[in-house]
Amino acid sequence: MGKATREAYGAALAEIGAKNKNIVVLDADLSKSTKTDTFKKVVPERFFNVGIAEQNLISVGAGLAAAGKIPFVSSFSMFATGRAFEQVRNAVCYAKLNVKICATHAGITVGEDGATHQSLEDIACMRAIPNLTVIVPADEAETKAVVSWAAEYNGPVYVRLGRAGVADVTPENYTFTPGKSTELVAGTDVSIIACGALVGPAVDAAAMLKEQGVSARVINMASIKPIDADAIIKAATETGAIVTAEEHNIIGGLGAAVAEVVTEHKPVPVIRVGTNDTFGESGTPKELMAKYGLTAEHIVEAAQTAIKRK
């Protein structure tokens, strides 16, 4: 198992921030957990802890962006998107301000912190806001590429990051491009489109399906908005069945975004793997992923069902 994407974020932010004097970092008293403390150690004069005040976190970020800075603001996903939704919508996105909201501890793998801290609706909330780019990197390498891109991009960005370690899946010499996906495994019988912590299990599922004589394509859809509609339509056309996999509610997340493209352009069976309109609970990440159906085995079952529905 590789690093958690939050750890990769902290390292990338410190490296890029040391070179780009315009970058400032804000945190809501969780810098050790979000890993922005790595940036603080390098350039403390451009790090600001606003305290446990997430609405203020976003608003101060908006003000700094309006003054020409490049603010990266961080907290747990539950609070950056939930408690501060109005500020994200009205202060940042309505004005198209150059704020990078990099929220950690998303999804069920927050683990023992329980349902109150497990953000399973943030993708749905964020992708519904105009002007906001929504990205869910899969691993360490992709997170670093996304942070590098975000620092150069002029506009609001939401980056969803996790607490637990994830498998390394990104190919060498990877460059992140918004609106573009990455095909990790070629396949002709079914397409598995995944994001974030479920990309690794999707690759494992493809290997398991191969042993059963099933050829599964695996696509890493890190860019949720804009989404790679061309890749989705191509997958639907060439494989005739799609499975989506995400560490998020199946309502409003990656699965919903893929289904929107499929129904408008190339209707084929789509099975969504994710949490099914439920809150999480306290437990280890491994236990919770198994209980809520977010494993390679569950993806295999979904693929078998999707193929039968062709």
Side-chain angles (χ1 to χ4, degrees):
M1 194 65 71
K3 287 185 178 180
T5 52
R6 63 168 176 151
E7 293 178 4
Y9 163 61
L13 189 60
E15 181 180 345
I16 295 168
K19 299 173 184 176
N20 189 334
K21 308 301 182 185
N22 229 17
I23 290 176
V24 293
V25 174
L26 293 81
D27 206 293
D29 208 32
L30 287 169
S31 61
K32 288 184 179 180
S33 296
T34 64
K35 301 304 178 182
T36 58
D37 63 335
T38 309
F39 178 92
K40 180 182 179 182
K41 292 171 185 175
V42 177
V43 276
E45 68 277 9
R46 285 189 273 124
F47 175 87
F48 304 95
N49 179 9
V50 305
I52 306 172
E54 290 80 9
Q55 294 167 334
N56 191 45
L57 171 79
I58 301 298
S59 296
V60 172
L64 286 165
K69 298 300 181 183
I70 306 171
F72 280 76
V73 303
S74 292
S75 182
F76 286 9
S77 175
M78 182 64 247
F79 310 125
T81 66
R83 186 174 295 169
F85 179 84
E86 179 191 344
Q87 285 70 29
V88 173
R89 181 189 186 275
N90 290 344
V92 174
C93 295
Y94 180 66
K96 298 183 183 179
L97 291 174
N98 194 28
V99 180
K100 319 304 173 183
I101 303 160
C102 298
T104 68
H105 293 65
I108 206 87
T109 51
V110 173
E112 292 83 353
D113 286 358
T116 57
H117 285 53
Q118 292 163 351
S119 181
L120 298 170
E121 53 285 305
D122 55 302
I123 296 175
C125 293
M126 294 297 99
R127 79 180 188 95
I129 302 178
N131 301 326
L132 185 60
T133 299
V134 179
I135 310 298
V136 187
D139 62 7
E140 177 184 7
E142 186 163 51
T143 300
K144 290 181 177 179
V146 167
V147 174
S148 179
W149 165 81
E152 298 297 324
Y153 171 74
N154 185 20
V157 177
Y158 174 65
V159 182
R160 186 185 209 243
L161 304 161
R163 178 186 192 180
V166 289
D168 293 322
V169 295
T170 300
E172 291 184 12
N173 302 317
Y174 170 81
T175 300
F176 173 77
T177 304
K180 294 297 180 182
S181 60
T182 305
E183 184 176 309
L184 300 177
V185 181
T188 56
D189 296 327
V190 63
S191 295
I192 304 170
I193 303 176
C195 68
L198 267 290
V199 178
V203 173
D204 293 340
M208 294 164 67
L209 286 163
K210 186 177 181 180
E211 293 179 358
Q212 301 173 13
V214 176
S215 175
R217 179 178 305 184
V218 178
I219 297 171
N220 173 19
M221 192 66 70
S223 182
I224 308 295
K225 181 186 174 187
I227 201 159
D228 191 348
D230 290 342
I232 296 169
I233 296 166
K234 185 172 184 284
T237 302
E238 295 178 353
T239 69
I242 291 174
V243 171
T244 62
E246 61 192 310
E247 190 191 0
H248 183 275
N249 193 344
I250 60 171
I251 298 173
L254 169 67
V258 170
E260 289 163 8
V261 175
V262 170
T263 54
E264 288 187 8
H265 298 280
K266 185 66 179 179
V268 298
V270 176
I271 305 294
R272 295 169 294 163
V273 172
T275 57
N276 194 358
D277 195 22
T278 183
F279 290 105
E281 60 185 294
S282 182
T284 67
K286 185 176 180 180
E287 290 170 337
L288 294 170
M289 293 287 268
K291 178 169 182 176
Y292 289 90
L294 308 181
T295 67
E297 289 77 10
H298 289 97
I299 296 171
V300 168
E301 291 177 12
Q304 292 167 337
T305 300
I307 291 170
K308 289 177 183 177
R309 293 183 182 176
K310 283 191 186 184

